[in-house]
Amino acid sequence: MSGKAPRVVLALTATLLVTVLGLAGCASSGAAPDAAAPAAAPALPVSTPDGYQDMLNQTDAELSGALTAVGQAPSLDVLDQAVLSAAGVASAASERLTTSGPVPASVSGDNAALAAGLRQFGRELAYLSQQIDLHAICAGPVALTAISTAPSMPNLRTVATSLGTLRSDRPSFRWGSALPAEKNSVENRPRNGAVLVDRRAGATGDGELQVRDNGTKDGVVLLAKGGALLVSMAVNAGRSATLTGVPDGDYDVFYTIGRDWNAPLATFSRHCEFHRFTTPTTFSTKPVPGGSSYTVQSIVLNTGTDSTGPDSSVDPELGVAPGAASGTDPGISPGSDPGDDTAPGTAEVPQEALPR
């Protein structure tokens, strides 16, 4: 919105301020100047059932918070940091279980198994971070799915069940609520040609953007104007799609490719890449006798080694409304050399460079 956000002005009169300060002074004057806050109760020794349960609660709570952050990570960089943080939490919990003192003898076996499982889990999370760095995993929900089937998970779930079993020599202990339920991976694909973001309301123009995805990954093409995303369209691997009604103007063209589209995060969840065409493109609509002519741009996404930009063999004014006359040569772009068949290149960009 172009309007200014309303400002809220907080005013505090001098009289009210003096009154508040006066009350504060009265309240503090009645207390002993050196009165200290009550000391926190000492932690129960882990050798007691209650003390051991307290340690399990701490481990569960920290792990739950760390994994929640993984699932809610909004971007690759945040996801990587969240996974590394979770790896540290798991490793620290393993260390705590083995160094906080003797535990009740009745849980020594389960405690050792839990410490070993968390140690292994920390290493697995460090490996997951490498997969994120390689863009094999690109979204929090998929990272959690991978975590739910990690090699350490079965043993950790077994320990949780064992700890929770009431025995004659010990009470039942609660642990494991932070462990994600095992989940199968399901790949989501955007519908070919689907317009995913559309902010063209009020803008005029009849331009067309023709996109061909020659690769093995799905793609999403984004048109940005003035640094802001205007419209985006999905193109499935090996297929073509056309975006019509592109408003007149100059645009930067971006695209992302990958597998398993996550609509809320607007990213592919697996094997993601992010690119920008190095040359902006222009769309225009012009009246001609009997109708109008408009820009048609064609791009090809080649997800193997490179991508080509706006096709120089397509006349940006090739699109002519029915009944209109066109005297342009469809084999030459305006301002181009008829013998020049080169096209603008692309550059890989970080995820945050894509317009939102």
Side-chain angles (χ1 to χ4, degrees):
M1 298 176 61
S2 60
K4 294 184 178 178
R7 294 188 301 167
V8 178
V9 180
L10 298 179
L12 186 65
T13 65
T15 303
L16 179 58
L17 178 60
V18 171
T19 302
V20 172
L21 292 176
L23 291 175
C26 292
S28 61
S29 62
D34 56 350
L44 295 172
V46 297
S47 59
T48 66
D50 286 345
Y52 185 66
Q53 182 62 68
D54 286 346
M55 183 166 63
L56 292 179
N57 291 345
Q58 179 185 358
T59 299
D60 228 356
E62 291 175 353
L63 198 57
S64 176
L67 295 183
T68 296
V70 170
Q72 295 178 349
S75 66
L76 268 171
D77 287 344
V78 175
L79 176 60
D80 189 30
Q81 291 302 313
V83 168
L84 286 175
S85 177
V89 167
S91 298
S94 173
E95 184 74 11
R96 184 186 310 122
L97 290 169
T98 56
T99 61
S100 294
V103 300
S106 59
V107 298
S108 59
D110 286 338
N111 186 72
L114 180 56
L118 287 172
R119 190 178 308 113
Q120 178 185 351
F121 184 44
R123 292 194 294 265
E124 291 166 356
L125 287 171
Y127 173 75
L128 179 61
S129 171
Q130 296 176 13
Q131 299 302 298
I132 294 168
D133 289 340
L134 294 172
H135 293 190
I137 292 179
C138 310
V142 170
L144 276 185
T145 297
I147 288 171
S148 76
T149 58
S152 61
M153 280 293 120
N155 288 338
L156 287 174
R157 294 188 182 103
T158 297
V159 173
T161 300
S162 180
L163 284 170
T165 301
L166 178 64
R167 293 180 4 189
S168 60
D169 61 341
R170 75 178 196 199
S172 61
F173 293 94
R174 300 176 305 280
W175 186 84
S177 62
L179 301 180
E182 186 173 353
K183 185 179 179 181
N184 294 326
S185 177
V186 178
E187 184 170 314
N188 299 305
R189 300 188 70 186
R191 178 177 56 83
N192 187 61
V195 176
L196 305 177
V197 173
D198 193 348
R199 298 170 182 156
R200 294 174 291 178
T204 59
D206 298 322
E208 289 187 7
L209 179 64
Q210 300 174 348
V211 185
R212 172 72 184 175
D213 186 342
N214 276 346
T216 59
K217 302 176 185 178
D218 293 336
V220 171
V221 177
L222 307 94
L223 291 183
K225 193 172 185 179
L229 175 61
L230 182 74
V231 61
S232 63
M233 180 183 70
V235 187
N236 291 160
R239 300 189 63 182
S240 299
T242 299
L243 178 67
T244 61
V246 178
D248 296 345
D250 299 326
Y251 295 90
D252 291 312
V253 184
F254 297 80
Y255 70 94
T256 177
I257 56 176
R259 297 193 179 104
D260 191 9
W261 180 250
N262 184 303
L265 294 178
T267 190
F268 287 102
S269 298
R270 297 179 175 87
H271 305 290
C272 57
E273 299 178 31
F274 313 98
H275 299 267
R276 175 182 62 85
F277 287 104
T278 56
T279 302
T281 189
T282 300
F283 290 85
S284 63
T285 305
K286 299 178 181 178
V288 296
S292 63
S293 67
Y294 51 88
T295 303
V296 174
Q297 293 283 18
S298 178
I299 60 176
V300 178
L301 310 182
N302 181 344
T303 58
T305 57
D306 195 8
S307 301
T308 61
D311 188 347
S312 61
S313 67
V314 177
D315 183 357
E317 296 187 357
L318 180 62
V320 181
S326 174
T328 58
D329 181 351
I332 303 175
S333 297
S336 68
D337 181 345
D340 181 10
D341 60 359
T342 61
T346 64
E348 190 167 359
V349 296
Q351 182 186 28
E352 56 268 21
L354 264 62
R356 294 285 179 175

